[in-house]
Amino acid sequence: MNLARFPRVRLGHMPTPLEPMENLSRLLGGPDIWIKRDDCTGLSSGGNKTRKLEYLLAEALAQGADTVLTQGATQSNHARQTAAAAAKLGLECHILLEDRTGYADEAYNQSGNVLLDKLHGASITRHPGGTDMQAEMEKQAEALKAKGRKPYCIPGGGSNAVGALGYVNAALELVNQAAEMGLRIDHVVHATGSSGTQAGLVTGLVALNSGIPVLGIGVRAPKEKQEANVLALSEKVATHLGLPGIVRAEHVVANTDYVGQGYGIPTEGMIEAVKLVAEKEGIILDPVYSGKGMAGLIDLIRKGHFKKGENIVFLHTGGSVGLFGYPDSLDLG
Ligand SMILES: *Cc1c(COP(=O)(O)O)cnc(C)c1O
């Protein structure tokens, strides 16, 4: 595998720290929990999309693009990070936001990620839940082309074979970091949504023959669909890397028991996880992804899914800005 042959623009602070969560580990009394701080990638308060955007925007620049389009939910972290990356690279940015929750309040619709989208100078259009956002984005790109612009479309979450290279890179980083620290990683756990993070990580870890299993905690789709999405994208990533066929179905595992009522809708487990990690570790999770991912990890530890003495790495994918879009959900008084 030769990642350096793919164009990349530097946007993030890497390597991100890999730290023990001593208080949380002690409190839960199970395995040793570590945290890979991809919330500290640096781009507009950080998050997992930074790594993907390094490869996606390198492709956009190589194609001579002058405008970047992307789409996501109202409180999309991906949209916010894309807006920041486009700003840094002197590209115009247009964001299409889908109302997936139906929340009408001011904070959800204007604060958090939306405030930062605007601060980075992106323009925004809003679309009702259930819109075919990819088709809508392509329509807007055609309109821009007709005006002589050169648009580059990034799929939701930056999840295609190019974006997922960012998480192949993260797999290399993590395995090297663990080797330097003398840390034997037994499992990686993280929140999985549009699949690029898990597909890149799994492909990278398999390509390295690391033997490290990845567990994605779903935030939207049911298990079969989530695993099928991750596997299909992993196959594309492997082919893009020149390693077709290396990822097999057994490498792709998602647990979707922690979604609750739906994407972006708070759960009790998420609220407990966000509060616990804030109070015991001084680390901010987010309500849509990492909070539900951590809720899954905590519950699985309580159920004895992981053994004492194992080292579990929780990949913190960022998103804390989204908390400001949900000020009441945490019931802090
Ligand atoms: C996008 C996102 C995820 C999910 O990553 P995918 O690559 O879309 O599966 C997880 N956490 C946060 C904070 C995100 O913004």
Side-chain angles (χ1 to χ4, degrees):
M1 174 167 67
N2 179 8
L3 254 194
R5 69 195 167 91
F6 298 100
R8 174 182 178 194
V9 283
R10 299 293 172 137
L11 297 168
H13 301 170
M14 293 160 204
T16 57
L18 175 59
E19 302 167 337
M21 298 183 95
E22 285 168 5
N23 299 333
L24 187 66
S25 301
R26 197 177 318 116
L27 193 89
L28 295 173
D32 290 320
I33 310 167
W34 295 74
I35 188 163
K36 174 70 171 158
R37 300 292 305 270
D38 274 15
D39 58 319
C40 299
T41 53
L43 185 66
S44 184
S45 81
N48 62 340
K49 304 312 181 305
T50 306
R51 293 187 187 269
K52 302 178 184 184
L53 288 163
E54 290 197 329
Y55 291 91
L56 289 161
L57 289 185
E59 186 178 73
L61 293 175
Q63 291 178 8
D66 56 20
T67 307
V68 173
L69 290 90
T70 200
Q71 53 98 356
T74 303
Q75 283 295 334
S76 168
N77 301 299
H78 165 67
R80 178 245 313 160
Q81 295 211 274
T82 302
K88 181 172 166 70
L89 299 173
L91 302 167
E92 275 187 30
C93 182
H94 182 68
I95 289 168
L96 294 85
L97 296 179
E98 179 189 5
D99 176 17
R100 287 189 205 159
T101 62
Y103 293 160
D105 61 295
E106 177 79 9
Y108 185 77
N109 286 287
Q110 300 296 344
S111 187
N113 283 291
V114 181
L115 185 143
L116 295 184
D117 295 344
K118 293 180 181 171
L119 187 62
H120 292 304
S123 60
I124 293 175
T125 53
R126 311 258 186 170
H127 305 268
T131 302
D132 182 342
M133 295 297 284
Q134 189 65 27
E136 196 61 39
M137 178 166 67
E138 279 158 21
K139 209 164 83 188
Q140 294 199 9
E142 285 310 315
L144 285 167
K145 272 188 207 159
K147 287 189 200 153
R149 311 276 319 173
K150 294 198 175 101
Y152 178 85
C153 286
I154 300 179
S159 286
N160 59 19
V162 174
L165 291 177
Y167 271 87
V168 174
N169 194 32
L172 292 175
E173 183 180 302
L174 180 63
V175 166
N176 282 329
Q177 212 168 20
E180 268 169 34
M181 293 163 67
L183 175 69
R184 184 201 72 244
I185 300 175
D186 295 302
H187 296 272
V188 175
V189 177
H190 69 90
T192 182
S194 67
S195 302
T197 302
Q198 190 170 359
L201 260 186
V202 165
T203 307
L205 291 172
V206 170
L208 292 169
N209 199 22
S210 69
I212 300 173
V214 176
L215 173 62
I217 307 287
V219 299
R220 191 178 189 190
K223 180 176 167 75
E224 292 72 34
K225 187 171 181 214
Q226 188 66 25
E227 290 181 342
N229 289 348
V230 175
L231 181 60
L233 184 53
S234 302
E235 285 166 351
K236 285 184 193 160
V237 180
T239 302
H240 194 52
L241 283 168
L243 297 166
I246 59 164
V247 180
R248 295 188 305 274
E250 74 221 45
H251 296 128
V252 174
V253 183
N255 180 326
T256 60
D257 294 346
Y258 304 94
V259 176
Q261 281 177 38
Y263 176 88
I265 300 181
T267 61
E268 276 178 32
M270 175 281 284
I271 293 167
E272 188 207 3
V274 168
K275 286 184 177 175
L276 200 60
V277 171
E279 288 172 7
K280 301 299 172 194
E281 296 287 346
I283 291 174
I284 318 169
L285 299 175
D286 85 282
V288 180
Y289 295 95
S290 55
K292 287 186 180 174
M294 181 58 87
L297 175 57
I298 290 171
D299 188 58
L300 291 170
I301 289 173
R302 285 179 178 152
K303 287 179 172 155
H305 183 84
F306 300 108
K307 294 189 209 68
K308 225 178 156 70
E310 284 189 322
N311 292 306
I312 314 296
V313 173
F314 180 77
L315 172 69
H316 189 341
T317 43
S320 59
V321 168
L323 280 173
F324 301 100
Y326 290 78
D328 303 326
S329 73
L330 297 179
D331 199 21
L332 298 173

